[in-house]
Amino acid sequence: MKKILCLAVCALLVGALAPAAAQECVTIQSGTLVNSAGELLETGYDYWGYNYQGHMFNGMYCDAYRDASWCQAYRDVELMMKWNDAWLSNEDCTDDGTLDRHLGYASYIGSGAWLTNHQSGTYFNDKNRRCRWTYFVKIVAAPSDATKSDGVWYDGAGDEIGPVIWGSFAIVQQVNNDPCAGDHGLAYKGVRPGLGNWEDPDSPM
């Protein structure tokens, strides 16, 4: 279940082109920027649990999707996310009224964008024992010299970055803990699991 949720979370990825070098950026504090739902942004946490200024989300899984009907089976799952500027900035430098994504790039590829996703929850197993599970994953945008093969991203040297997720991204680390199911600790680690390791050398960020 944890992996299915990870595949669904944060699937609202829309491109943005680079602004002119001298263009002035608009901040959340201006009170004029909106999110993907057209709601005005404010600093601090909003009703759903997003803190766009602080690059984080803290709430329940369905709150990340504004309580959409399709996610109700996972409504009791707790979710925390953190991301960097390349994933979703807290400024608008392209003058479109929304926060910038992969600024300076036509897509996320090569941008150095990353996201961490921490999920947790409880369930009752077949012995009616209450079990608590946690799942943590690091996701990065593939670098510009990366290639895909059999569902895995590889860097220019042929080293494994991690499994493909959302097309342009790779999973570089997974930690799964569920004592009732016998899951303990590290489930996957790529060759370079640290955040920020896959940004192109000429990145404007």
Side-chain angles (χ1 to χ4, degrees), residues 10 29 50 53 64 73 78 83 121 124 130 149-150 153 157 172 203 205:
C10 278
Q29 288 86 342
Y50 281 100
Q53 181 66 30
E78 300 163 23
W83 58 84
F124 288 93
R130 186 178 181 87
S149 178
D150 295 326
W153 277 108
V172 295
S203 169
M205 303 301 291

Side-chain angles (χ1 to χ4, degrees), residues 38-53:
E39 302 161 339
L40 284 175
L41 298 181
E42 299 179 358
T43 57
Y45 285 98
D46 67 10
Y47 175 81
W48 298 107
Y50 281 100
N51 183 335
Y52 294 101
Q53 181 66 30

Side-chain angles (χ1 to χ4, degrees), residues 10 41 118 142 148 166-167:
C10 278
L41 298 181
H118 188 181
K148 281 188 283 191
W166 306 322

Side-chain angles (χ1 to χ4, degrees), residues 103-166:
L103 184 63
Y105 290 85
S107 74
Y108 276 106
I109 296 292
S111 69
W114 58 258
L115 169 81
T116 64
N117 182 322
H118 188 181
Q119 302 168 19
S120 59
T122 60
Y123 67 95
F124 288 93
N125 65 7
D126 54 6
K127 297 180 180 179
N128 204 34
R129 175 185 172 188
R130 186 178 181 87
C131 305
R132 182 164 182 83
W133 59 268
T134 62
Y135 175 75
F136 176 76
V137 63
K138 294 178 182 178
I139 298 170
V140 302
S144 58
D145 64 349
T147 56
K148 281 188 283 191
S149 178
D150 295 326
V152 177
W153 277 108
Y154 294 89
D155 67 13
D159 293 324
E160 181 175 317
I161 300 173
V164 176
I165 181 172
W166 306 322

Side-chain angles (χ1 to χ4, degrees), residues 47-116:
Y47 175 81
W48 298 107
Y50 281 100
N51 183 335
Y52 294 101
Q53 181 66 30
H55 294 158
M56 63 183 67
F57 172 89
N58 193 351
M60 304 304 290
Y61 182 81
C62 280
D63 291 340
Y65 297 96
R66 292 174 175 80
D67 208 25
S69 58
W70 65 264
C71 72
Q72 294 306 304
Y74 313 118
R75 64 184 179 276
D76 294 328
V77 173
E78 300 163 23
L79 173 64
M80 291 187 294
M81 295 185 291
K82 294 183 180 180
W83 58 84
N84 67 347
D85 267 334
W87 184 282
L88 180 64
S89 174
N90 55 17
E91 295 181 327
D92 171 25
C93 300
T94 60
D95 199 27
D96 66 355
T98 64
L99 300 178
D100 296 325
R101 301 173 186 267
H102 53 75
L103 184 63
Y105 290 85
S107 74
Y108 276 106
I109 296 292
S111 69
W114 58 258
L115 169 81
T116 64

